[in-house]
Amino acid sequence: VVPTIDRVDVVELEPLVLDVARACAPVNHDVMNNPKVHITIGDARETLLTSAEHYDIIVSEPSNPYRAGIASLFTREYYQAATSRLNDNGLFVQWLQGYEVDTRTLRTMYATMASVFPHVETWDMTGGDLLMIAAKAPMAYRAAALTARLQQEPFRTAVHARWRAADLNGLLAHFVAGNTFTRALASAPRVEVNTD
C-alpha cells in the first residue's frame, strides 16, 4: 500500500495463516493479491541464513517466546543473520508480547539484541506489547519530516488505526525508551545473552 515500497517478501511458517489473510482481505488491503508481495512458506530464520537478499526493513513477529521452538527467533545468531541481510540504514523490527514474559526473559531479550545491534529503541504497541527497533546506525527523527509524513496516506490512516494518534505528539507518546536504556539493561549484572 505504501507507494515507495517496491517489494515485500513474506516468510510464513504456518500455511493456514494465508487462509486467514485471504479471509481478512477487506481489512488488510487484499494483501494476498498485491503484486508487490511475495509469500514463501518456510522458516524465517533459515531464509535469513540462506538468502542473498538485502532489505531496508526486516520485521520479525514470532509467537510468544515461552512457546516451544520459538527461542531460536530471539538468539544472537538469529539477530546476526538479520543484520547481515540489512542495508546500512536498514531497520530490524522485533515484536514482543508484554504479557506472560518475566523480567529475566525481558532482560535477556535486550542483552541479546544489544549484543548484535549498536542501536535499539523500544516502542509501546498498546496492550502491553513492545516493538523493539534495532539498527546499525543511530536513528534520527526530524519533527517537520515526521509531521509531514503523518499527514500523508497511508501513514495517517495506519497511525490512527493502530495508536489512535493524529499528530506527532500522539505518535511520540508511544516511544518507551532509547538506546541508553537498552545499554543499561543489557549491561546489568547477571543478564544472560540467548545463544543457540
Side-chain angles (χ1 to χ4, degrees), residues 19 34 39-40 42 48 56 65 76 80 93 98 100-102 104 109 137 139 144 146 151 153 156 162 164 177 179-180:
D19 294 337
N34 186 325
I39 301 171
T40 302
L48 287 174
D56 293 322
R76 178 171 41 209
Q80 287 170 335
V93 181
E100 296 183 17
V101 174
D102 61 20
R104 180 180 176 204
M109 277 232 16
M139 292 170 264
L146 282 174
Q151 295 171 2
E153 290 298 342
R156 179 177 50 213
R162 181 66 203 158
R164 300 292 183 243
N179 198 50
T180 302

Side-chain angles (χ1 to χ4, degrees), residues 60-148:
S60 180
E61 190 177 348
S63 294
N64 305 358
Y66 62 81
R67 295 203 179 273
I70 300 302
S72 68
L73 297 177
F74 294 94
T75 64
R76 178 171 41 209
E77 292 80 5
Y78 175 64
Y79 297 139
Q80 287 170 335
T83 194
S84 74
R85 297 288 158 239
L86 278 177
N87 291 325
D88 288 341
N89 291 319
L91 300 175
F92 177 80
V93 181
Q94 172 83 59
W95 171 83
L96 175 67
Q97 102 287 351
Y99 55 91
E100 296 183 17
V101 174
D102 61 20
T103 304
R104 180 180 176 204
T105 301
L106 195 57
R107 284 193 302 234
T108 295
M109 277 232 16
Y110 275 97
T112 304
M113 192 170 275
S115 75
V116 174
F117 291 99
H119 304 278
V120 181
E121 294 181 351
T122 307
W123 291 74
D124 168 49
M125 287 302 295
T126 67
D129 293 344
L130 300 174
L131 201 62
M132 299 170 77
I133 302 177
K136 298 176 186 180
M139 292 170 264
Y141 305 102
R142 292 183 194 86
L146 282 174
T147 298

Side-chain angles (χ1 to χ4, degrees), residues 6-27:
D6 296 326
R7 179 183 174 100
V8 176
D9 292 338
V10 177
V11 181
E12 175 55 53
L13 187 61
E14 175 53 61
L16 289 175
V17 169
L18 303 184
D19 294 337
V20 173
R22 284 183 196 92
C24 294
V27 293

